[in-house]
Amino acid sequence: MAKPAVEWKGDGLYARRRELYARAAPVFRRHGYRGTTLKALARACGLSIPALYRYFPSKKAFALFPLVALYPELHEPPPDAGGDPLALLAGWVTAAAAEMPNYTLALRLARDAGLTAEEERRVEANLASHVTVLAAIARRAVPRLDAGAAEELASSMISVAVGPASSGLATDPDTLRRQLTRLLRGYGVALPKQPPGTR
C-alpha cells in the first residue's frame, strides 16, 4: 500500500524541517532518543526513511534540531538584528514561548544521545553570542540601559526561557510569555501589544 503524499503547511526547507520535528516529537517524547527508531520517525512524518534523510543527515541531527548551534546548516540564516528593537524583542518572546516545548525535548534528547565536548562548546558559544545580540537590541530599545544592565537583562531572558527546559520541566507558553514580558518591563522595556492571533 502506497503512503499518502505528505501535505506541507509551510513553504521552504526550514519550514518543512520544523513541521517534521513537530510530527516526530510525540515519538521522541514517548520512546526517548535510544528507543526511537528511524522507522517510527519516518512513519510519524509520513515519509520513507530515505526521504527523511533528505531533511536530516542522521537521527541525532533530527533529535537535536531545535539546538541551532549544533546544526546551523539545517536552519534559516539568523534574522537581521536591525529594525525596530521593540518589535525584535516582542518577536523573541513570542518565538521563545512557541518553541520551548521543542527546545525542552531537544535538551532531554541531547542528554540521552550524549554531546561531544565540541558540541557542548558550540552550545555554550551560541548562548554567549545570543546574550550579546539580545543585549544590543535591549540597549537600542532602552538607550538609558548601560552595557552591564543590558547584558544582565539578556542573560535573565535566556535563563527564564531555558531554565525549565534545562531541568526537564514543561512550561506553559502563555506563562513563559508573561514572565518574559514582566522581566522586560522591569528593565523599562514596554513591548508592543500582540496583534490578535499571534498568541
Side-chain angles (χ1 to χ4, degrees):
M1 185 164 124
K3 288 185 181 212
V6 176
E7 292 190 25
W8 301 105
K9 294 178 185 171
D11 291 331
L13 196 53
Y14 174 68
R16 290 180 179 180
R17 286 183 178 123
R18 286 185 67 203
E19 189 175 335
L20 290 171
Y21 197 85
R23 291 177 184 185
V27 177
F28 278 127
R29 281 190 181 92
R30 190 175 318 116
H31 301 290
Y33 179 77
R34 297 192 191 287
T36 295
T37 64
L38 283 171
K39 184 177 180 180
L41 292 171
R43 188 178 320 114
C45 293
L47 298 172
S48 66
I49 292 173
L52 199 57
Y53 277 118
R54 282 187 277 187
Y55 296 98
F56 299 99
S58 66
K59 181 175 106 171
K60 188 174 185 182
F62 194 177
L64 307 185
F65 172 67
L67 304 179
V68 179
L70 297 181
Y71 300 98
E73 67 280 3
L74 300 180
H75 293 79
E76 291 180 320
D80 181 11
D84 176 19
L86 290 175
L88 290 169
L89 290 172
W92 190 93
V93 168
T94 299
E99 293 298 320
M100 200 44 55
N102 289 340
Y103 194 79
T104 302
L105 174 61
L107 283 176
R108 189 184 108 211
L109 296 172
R111 286 192 295 270
D112 292 350
L115 295 182
T116 66
E118 173 59 17
E119 288 170 331
E120 287 181 12
R121 187 201 62 73
R122 286 172 66 188
V123 169
E124 291 299 319
N126 185 63
L127 281 174
S129 172
H130 207 75
V131 167
T132 301
V133 169
L134 270 178
I137 294 169
R139 285 194 79 187
R140 285 185 28 235
V142 182
R144 67 175 171 72
L145 284 180
D146 65 26
E151 189 168 315
E152 179 182 278
L153 170 58
S155 295
S156 297
M157 288 172 67
I158 291 172
S159 293
V160 166
V162 176
S166 300
S167 62
L169 300 173
T171 301
D172 171 62
D174 288 331
T175 301
L176 179 57
R177 190 179 292 107
R178 282 192 302 274
Q179 290 172 333
L180 289 167
T181 301
R182 272 196 301 269
L183 173 64
L184 284 160
R185 198 177 308 126
Y187 281 83
V189 181
L191 296 180
K193 296 283 185 202
Q194 293 289 325
T198 59
R199 300 194 87 149

